[in-house]
């Protein structure tokens, strides 16, 4: 049976590293938990190590946070849909918004629940995902800041998640200027400029974060220790908080090339034939996970001696060459994970989750 390990000490080490850096830069931050897919055991690990603000894009996951510790501030990090507003207001203390009508509906629901709901207005800064266009921001704010049972606590932006647009000092300065303009015009205080996600951390580490930017929403760098500008591990952080283990369920020496008439497989692919490999063989292993769990392109072979060949719905095939490590049926093969691979594995109900 395949299983996923989360290494508590490595996660805590990354958390403490980031906490120290944010405190040194006078920046508040919240932990994005969406990669955990609502796994109660893993969410509890975050809370136990000191996460007092947790962000997620699934309301059911925020409900679990509140069940574990109702004092944790919960933040819903995608534009809410009209049909889930009652639960969103119930379980999220804060939400990220960019639609005027949606904010009006949130206000009505907050009144119904006799709650004060906090809002961060998302501003478009070039990546073309969610966000109010800058030219419309003053008028937008004028229409929402007096709505009942709402508190506008920040302006935010999102970069890199759709078109790969990277954050820059200029973009973040513009966001801070919007905040100053609104505060002066309406005589209202906006506590947060929420500059973004893990991709913005290198600007802070290199002392390029504009003054005024004071809030982050952090997921990927916490779990993978990665500098997303240079795509390398940040010194002092752990890249392997998660490791995936899969069991060998068949081990045979087989030809390197298939034989017979070739057609598309269930994934719509046709095998690429290298005729120089005819007559050659290698040891091939079948592992107990497949496309139902994860796309192989998001797996990183921990042992450089083998190659991932492909997968069907429930089986992953690797080429061990001459099998110098002496793998056999029943042995475990270890993988590190890219972000989207970890997300898929954590969303799979067929993979056991463990804390080590």
């Amino acid at each position: 049976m395949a299983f996923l390990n989360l290494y508590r000490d490595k996660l805590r080490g990354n958390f403490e590293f980031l906490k120290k850096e944010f405190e040194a830069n006078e920046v508040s931050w919240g932990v994005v938990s969406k990669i955990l897919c609502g796994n109660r055991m893993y969410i509890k690990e975050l809370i136990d190590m000191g996460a007092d603000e947790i962000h997620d894009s699934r309301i059911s996951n925020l409900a679990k946070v509140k069940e574990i510790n109702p004092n944790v501030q919960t933040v819903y990090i995608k534009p809410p849909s009209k049909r889930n507003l009652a639960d969103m207001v119930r379980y999220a203390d804060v939400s990220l918004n960019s639609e005027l009508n949606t904010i009006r509906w949130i206000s009505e629901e907050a009144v119904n629940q006799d709650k004060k709901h906090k809002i961060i207005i998302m501003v478009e800064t070039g990546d073309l995902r969610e966000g109010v266009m800058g030219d419309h921001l003053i008028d937008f704010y004028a229409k929402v800041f007096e709505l009942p049972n709402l508190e506008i606590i920040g302006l935010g932006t999102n970069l890199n998640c759709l078109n790969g647009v990277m954050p820059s000092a200029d973009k973040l300065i513009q966001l801070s200027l919007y905040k100053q303009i609104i505060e002066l015009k309406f005589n209202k205080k906006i506590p947060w400029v929420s500059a973004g996600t893990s991709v913005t951390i290198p600007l802070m580490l290199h002392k390029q974060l504009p003054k005024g930017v004071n809030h982050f929403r952090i997921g990927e760098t916490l779990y993978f220790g990665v500098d997303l500008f240079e795509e390398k591990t940040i010194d002092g952080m752990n890249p392997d908080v998660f490791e995936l283990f899969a069991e060998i369920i068949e081990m045979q020496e087989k030809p390197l090339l298939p034989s017979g008439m070739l057609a598309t497989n269930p994934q719509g692919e046709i095998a690429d034939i290298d005729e120089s490999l005819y007559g050659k063989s290698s040891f091939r292993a079948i592992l107990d996970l497949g496309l139902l769990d994860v796309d192989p392109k998001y797996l990183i072979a921990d042992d450089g001696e083998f190659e991932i060949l492909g997968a069907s719905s429930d089986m992953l095939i690797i080429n061990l060459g001459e099998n110098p490590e002496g793998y056999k049926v029943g042995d475990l093969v270890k993988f590190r994970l890219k972000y989207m691979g970890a997300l898929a594995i954590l969303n799979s109900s067929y993979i056991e989750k463990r804390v080590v």
Side-chain angles (χ1 to χ4, degrees), residues 19 41 46 53 63 69 81 108 218 231 248 270 285 301 310 356:
K19 180 182 177 182
M41 176 174 58
L46 291 180
E53 180 182 307
N69 186 338
S81 66
E108 293 171 3
I218 301 302
E231 297 186 353
I248 296 175
I270 299 178
V356 178

Side-chain angles (χ1 to χ4, degrees), residues 317-350:
I317 317 301
I318 63 174
N319 176 14
L320 294 168
E322 296 298 317
N323 192 21
E325 300 298 323
Y327 284 111
K328 59 186 182 299
V329 171
D331 285 349
L332 293 172
V333 177
K334 183 168 67 173
F335 298 90
R336 290 180 292 113
L337 297 162
K338 299 179 181 179
Y339 180 89
M340 296 304 294
L343 184 65
I345 289 293
L346 280 151
N347 196 44
S348 174
S349 60
Y350 303 107

